[in-house]
Amino acid sequence: MSNTVELVDITRVGNSSHTIRCGVGESPVWLDSHQAWFWVDIIGRTIWSSDATGSHLQSWQTAEMIGCLTPTQSTTANAGQPLEFIAGMESGIFTLVLEKESKLSAQHLAAPAELKPGMRFNDGRCDRQGRFWSGTM
């Protein structure tokens, strides 16, 4: 196994020509209430957002690698509210609030006892009952 990370260029987002470099881009989610895509760059410790045309990009830096995120019910229902997500990260499950000007606040919710150094959460989503499911690696 190689320790080399290959960066992927996304040279077109919608009708725009922005270049976004993601080490490992994962967990895309469309928020209809905000008319925007959200995804994570795991290696880059970044959450990205883009409108459908790609003309408005925004990013938020996280303190550790983020493997997945899913919006909370309040985010999907209210376009005027702060963006709140549940996220699987290196040290556990967090609530993340994404604010304007790329400010982010995080609250640690839980971590499995089996989470060892070098492990992290990977893919995850909420099911129809609102339960968050995620795996570690």
Side-chain angles (χ1 to χ4, degrees), residues 67-68 87-89 92-93 120-126 131-136:
C68 58
M89 300 178 74
I93 305 295
R120 65 171 171 82
F121 280 85
N122 198 37
D123 286 339
R125 287 283 190 255
C126 283
R131 298 172 296 195
F132 182 71
W133 293 84
S134 182
T136 59

Short mmCIF file of all heavy atoms in Angstrom, two decimals, residues 67-68 87-89 92-93 120-126 131-136:
data_model
loop_
_atom_site.label_atom_id
_atom_site.label_comp_id
_atom_site.label_asym_id
_atom_site.label_seq_id
_atom_site.Cartn_x
_atom_site.Cartn_y
_atom_site.Cartn_z
N GLY A 67 -15.07 12.23 7.44
CA GLY A 67 -15.38 11.18 6.48
C GLY A 67 -16.75 11.29 5.85
O GLY A 67 -16.97 10.84 4.74
N CYS A 68 -17.71 11.89 6.58
CA CYS A 68 -19.06 11.97 6.06
C CYS A 68 -19.84 13.04 6.82
O CYS A 68 -19.49 13.41 7.93
CB CYS A 68 -19.78 10.63 6.19
SG CYS A 68 -19.86 10.00 7.88
N ALA A 87 -21.70 14.66 11.60
CA ALA A 87 -20.51 14.28 10.85
C ALA A 87 -19.74 13.17 11.56
O ALA A 87 -19.62 13.16 12.78
CB ALA A 87 -19.60 15.50 10.68
N GLY A 88 -19.21 12.23 10.77
CA GLY A 88 -18.29 11.22 11.27
C GLY A 88 -16.87 11.69 11.00
O GLY A 88 -16.51 11.97 9.86
N MET A 89 -16.08 11.79 12.06
CA MET A 89 -14.73 12.33 11.94
C MET A 89 -13.71 11.36 12.53
O MET A 89 -14.03 10.21 12.78
CB MET A 89 -14.68 13.71 12.58
CG MET A 89 -15.67 14.67 11.90
SD MET A 89 -15.76 16.32 12.60
CE MET A 89 -14.24 17.01 12.02
N GLY A 92 -14.75 10.66 16.42
CA GLY A 92 -16.12 10.32 16.76
C GLY A 92 -17.15 11.00 15.91
O GLY A 92 -16.87 11.48 14.81
N ILE A 93 -18.37 11.05 16.45
CA ILE A 93 -19.51 11.67 15.79
C ILE A 93 -19.69 13.07 16.38
O ILE A 93 -19.64 13.26 17.60
CB ILE A 93 -20.79 10.84 16.01
CG1 ILE A 93 -20.60 9.40 15.56
CG2 ILE A 93 -21.98 11.50 15.34
CD1 ILE A 93 -20.36 9.23 14.10
N ARG A 120 -10.71 6.12 11.63
CA ARG A 120 -11.61 7.26 11.48
C ARG A 120 -12.94 6.77 10.93
O ARG A 120 -13.04 5.66 10.42
CB ARG A 120 -11.03 8.30 10.54
CG ARG A 120 -10.86 7.81 9.11
CD ARG A 120 -10.49 8.95 8.17
NE ARG A 120 -10.13 8.47 6.86
CZ ARG A 120 -10.99 8.16 5.90
NH1 ARG A 120 -12.28 8.25 6.13
NH2 ARG A 120 -10.58 7.75 4.72
N PHE A 121 -13.95 7.62 11.05
CA PHE A 121 -15.23 7.32 10.43
C PHE A 121 -15.11 7.55 8.93
O PHE A 121 -14.35 8.38 8.47
CB PHE A 121 -16.34 8.19 11.02
CG PHE A 121 -16.84 7.66 12.33
CD1 PHE A 121 -16.18 7.98 13.51
CD2 PHE A 121 -17.94 6.83 12.37
CE1 PHE A 121 -16.63 7.49 14.71
CE2 PHE A 121 -18.39 6.32 13.58
CZ PHE A 121 -17.73 6.65 14.76
N ASN A 122 -15.89 6.77 8.17
CA ASN A 122 -15.87 6.90 6.72
C ASN A 122 -17.28 7.25 6.25
O ASN A 122 -17.84 8.22 6.71
CB ASN A 122 -15.35 5.60 6.08
CG ASN A 122 -14.90 5.81 4.65
OD1 ASN A 122 -14.35 6.84 4.32
ND2 ASN A 122 -15.15 4.84 3.80
N ASP A 123 -17.87 6.49 5.34
CA ASP A 123 -19.19 6.82 4.83
C ASP A 123 -20.25 6.76 5.92
O ASP A 123 -20.17 5.94 6.83
CB ASP A 123 -19.58 5.85 3.71
CG ASP A 123 -18.83 6.11 2.43
OD1 ASP A 123 -18.35 7.25 2.28
OD2 ASP A 123 -18.72 5.21 1.59
N GLY A 124 -21.27 7.61 5.79
CA GLY A 124 -22.38 7.59 6.72
C GLY A 124 -23.54 8.42 6.22
O GLY A 124 -23.35 9.38 5.48
N ARG A 125 -24.74 8.05 6.61
CA ARG A 125 -25.97 8.75 6.25
C ARG A 125 -27.04 8.47 7.31
O ARG A 125 -26.92 7.52 8.07
CB ARG A 125 -26.52 8.27 4.90
CG ARG A 125 -25.77 8.73 3.69
CD ARG A 125 -26.11 10.18 3.38
NE ARG A 125 -25.59 10.57 2.09
CZ ARG A 125 -24.52 11.33 1.94
NH1 ARG A 125 -23.87 11.77 2.97
NH2 ARG A 125 -24.12 11.66 0.74
N CYS A 126 -28.11 9.26 7.26
CA CYS A 126 -29.28 8.99 8.09
C CYS A 126 -30.27 8.16 7.31
O CYS A 126 -30.44 8.35 6.10
CB CYS A 126 -29.95 10.29 8.52
SG CYS A 126 -29.10 11.14 9.85
N ARG A 131 -31.98 7.92 11.96
CA ARG A 131 -30.83 7.33 12.66
C ARG A 131 -29.59 7.47 11.79
O ARG A 131 -29.62 7.18 10.61
CB ARG A 131 -31.10 5.86 12.97
CG ARG A 131 -32.30 5.66 13.89
CD ARG A 131 -32.65 4.21 14.02
NE ARG A 131 -33.08 3.70 12.70
CZ ARG A 131 -33.72 2.56 12.53
NH1 ARG A 131 -34.02 1.79 13.56
NH2 ARG A 131 -34.07 2.16 11.32
N PHE A 132 -28.48 7.89 12.40
CA PHE A 132 -27.21 8.05 11.68
C PHE A 132 -26.47 6.72 11.68
O PHE A 132 -26.21 6.15 12.73
CB PHE A 132 -26.37 9.14 12.35
CG PHE A 132 -25.08 9.42 11.65
CD1 PHE A 132 -25.07 10.06 10.42
CD2 PHE A 132 -23.87 9.06 12.22
CE1 PHE A 132 -23.88 10.33 9.76
CE2 PHE A 132 -22.67 9.33 11.57
CZ PHE A 132 -22.67 9.97 10.34
N TRP A 133 -26.11 6.26 10.49
CA TRP A 133 -25.35 5.02 10.30
C TRP A 133 -24.03 5.36 9.67
O TRP A 133 -23.97 6.10 8.68
CB TRP A 133 -26.11 4.05 9.39
CG TRP A 133 -27.37 3.53 9.99
CD1 TRP A 133 -28.60 4.14 9.98
CD2 TRP A 133 -27.55 2.29 10.67
NE1 TRP A 133 -29.51 3.35 10.63
CE2 TRP A 133 -28.90 2.21 11.06
CE3 TRP A 133 -26.69 1.24 10.98
CZ2 TRP A 133 -29.42 1.12 11.74
CZ3 TRP A 133 -27.21 0.15 11.66
CH2 TRP A 133 -28.54 0.10 12.04
N SER A 134 -22.94 4.83 10.22
CA SER A 134 -21.63 5.10 9.66
C SER A 134 -20.69 3.94 9.96
O SER A 134 -20.89 3.21 10.94
CB SER A 134 -21.04 6.38 10.24
OG SER A 134 -19.80 6.68 9.66
N GLY A 135 -19.67 3.81 9.14
CA GLY A 135 -18.66 2.79 9.37
C GLY A 135 -17.31 3.44 9.65
O GLY A 135 -17.10 4.62 9.38
N THR A 136 -16.41 2.67 10.23
CA THR A 136 -15.06 3.15 10.51
C THR A 136 -14.07 2.34 9.70
O THR A 136 -14.35 1.25 9.22
CB THR A 136 -14.71 3.02 12.01
OG1 THR A 136 -14.83 1.65 12.40
CG2 THR A 136 -15.61 3.89 12.87
#
